[in-house]
Amino acid sequence: ETCAPEGSEMRAGAVALAAGKRLDYSCIALLAAVGEARPKVYPPRRVAVLATGDELVEAEGPRPEGGQIRNSNGPALAVLVRRAGGRPWRLPPVGDDAQLLRERLRQAAAGAELVLVTGGASVGKFDFVQAAWRELGGTWRWNAVRIRPGKPVKLGVMAAADARSKAPRPKLCLALPGNPLSAMLTFELFVRPLIAALA
């Protein structure tokens, strides 16, 4: 006599795991229990992470001087992307150079489904992100949100040639504030749910 009679866990023909479920340890255990060793899954989405601003100095770079700060947003956002289920791709920071920023955004959009930019997205003299995205053929769906900190968050979209397929595919850009607290807060509110939806 057994403690769990045959068929007591699930009826024949029942769906063990619905499509669209994010796989965690319990899902893997369930799949193994029904003999499914190779489920069909979506791969993690590649997310480009780009920090902007002349004031940025990389962690391994020289000591910051007057008016400079360490680039803390780039490494932090990369970790948050990975924890949210994405595949982070950190690009070198870009200074306040409109042409270089445009080229870096083009590179990011070609190689990732989602582009995260931190800094340079407000309305200051050296905030070039909005114009650069437009010059690449993108549009902005919204330009700000009613929260503080974090107001100057922007969502952009464009069709860009994909690095692998060479065919145009929709690409998204979320421009986050440069202030580290604002960047982390807006990541949790807007980027994490977007990565989950893309997955």
Side-chain angles (χ1 to χ4, degrees), residues 67 98 134 146:
R134 281 195 194 99
R146 289 186 189 177

Side-chain angles (χ1 to χ4, degrees), residues 11 53 64 71 110 144 155 162 164 172 180-181 190:
R11 293 177 183 266
N71 174 18
L155 173 66
D162 193 74
R164 282 173 263 164
L172 298 171
L181 173 62
F190 302 105

